[in-house]
Amino acid sequence: MLVVSTGSLGFGTSRSHVECRPEGAALLTVDLWVPAVLLNTPYGGSALGTGVMSANFSANDQGFGIGIGTTTANGSAAGAFFEANASYFVVANLTLSGPGTNSPCVSPVEVELLPPLQNGVASRTVPLPSNRTDSGEATNITILSGATDVNWTPWWNNAFGGPNSPEITTCGGSGLNYSVRSTGLALAFPWSVGGRITQVPYLLPFAQSYEYSFPPNFGTWQVDNLSAPGGPGGGWAFSYSPCT
């Protein structure tokens, strides 16, 4: 089910700062599907996830903020996607006079997301080996939709990698509900260098909200908080064990 709703950088005191700037025209421009939010659900339960595209986001030409969300249940995973134009640029560090935020290049090629030829949103299931764990979750999908025959997505990591938060259990007890908020989602766009596919990192600056529901007297779930320090951003990932 797809849900769509409408709706600072800090500065230092140094005399100069470094910014990453493009050099020349785009090397490649292509439309694709980008996840506004990626959503895992606890086995037996349900979840709702929403990502908010701000009014000043580079791929937003609507003039207002847009919330793009999806729901899923029973251990499945899903994503809510929006169409965007990805432009690849060769970039280099440029030292500018005056105070500002240091933002050096993290890759020799960077991606800028711009408005697509035609706006579109889609909700799709993300494949899992088992609905009892998010371990081994797919890192990209194909979407056969869109006004411009767009069918690919960037890569992501929304899988369960191991518990880093207290487990949740409803064994012998009532159901539980949790609200989670996060900012930013790490993505990687494919780029060919010398016949070898490499990754161009990109941090999607969306505020994201998640609502998780766990059924009563049902089991125990290990939790991987994906927005913990060093994580890829996003909500939670789960691994389920039944009550004993």
Side-chain angles (χ1 to χ4, degrees):
M1 172 181 168
L2 181 68
V3 183
V4 179
S5 61
T6 62
S8 69
L9 293 175
F11 290 89
T13 58
S14 65
R15 297 176 181 271
S16 64
H17 63 283
V18 175
E19 292 185 6
C20 187
R21 295 286 184 88
E23 293 188 324
L27 301 173
L28 173 69
T29 298
V30 60
D31 273 18
L32 76 167
W33 290 96
V34 180
V37 66
L38 295 167
L39 181 65
N40 297 314
T41 45
Y43 178 64
S46 61
L48 164 67
T50 303
V52 178
M53 179 191 298
S54 66
N56 61 359
F57 181 63
S58 58
N60 186 355
D61 59 359
Q62 301 301 298
F64 48 80
I66 302 171
I68 305 171
T70 189
T71 62
T72 188
N74 199 33
S76 59
F81 299 83
F82 65 96
E83 285 190 82
N85 178 287
S87 293
Y88 291 73
F89 293 90
V90 172
V91 291
N93 290 323
L94 180 65
T95 301
L96 302 175
S97 61
T101 301
N102 284 316
S103 53
C105 301
V106 297
S107 170
V109 176
E110 288 194 358
V111 168
E112 182 178 3
L113 295 182
L114 301 171
L117 296 177
Q118 183 169 327
N119 291 301
V121 293
S123 178
R124 293 292 187 274
T125 297
V126 177
L128 286 167
S130 168
N131 62 350
R132 296 194 173 208
T133 177
D134 295 314
S135 178
E137 182 173 332
T139 58
N140 70 307
I141 63 172
T142 298
I143 298 179
L144 299 177
S145 183
T148 57
D149 294 324
V150 177
N151 61 15
W152 62 280
T153 68
W155 296 318
W156 58 74
N157 177 10
N158 205 50
F160 179 87
N164 63 3
S165 297
E167 67 181 21
I168 294 170
T169 184
T170 61
C171 293
S174 59
L176 296 171
N177 297 289
Y178 289 86
S179 296
V180 177
R181 303 291 181 267
S182 69
T183 302
L185 178 64
L187 303 173
F189 290 80
W191 180 248
S192 179
V193 177
R196 181 175 63 89
I197 300 297
T198 186
Q199 298 183 12
V200 178
Y202 182 92
L203 182 64
L204 187 72
F206 283 19
Q208 296 171 324
S209 61
Y210 304 84
E211 305 292 334
Y212 300 106
S213 295
F214 299 80
N217 194 31
F218 192 82
T220 297
W221 297 264
Q222 291 183 321
V223 177
D224 184 352
N225 177 6
L226 301 174
S227 287
W236 288 352
F238 306 98
S239 182
Y240 167 81
S241 298
C243 298
T244 56

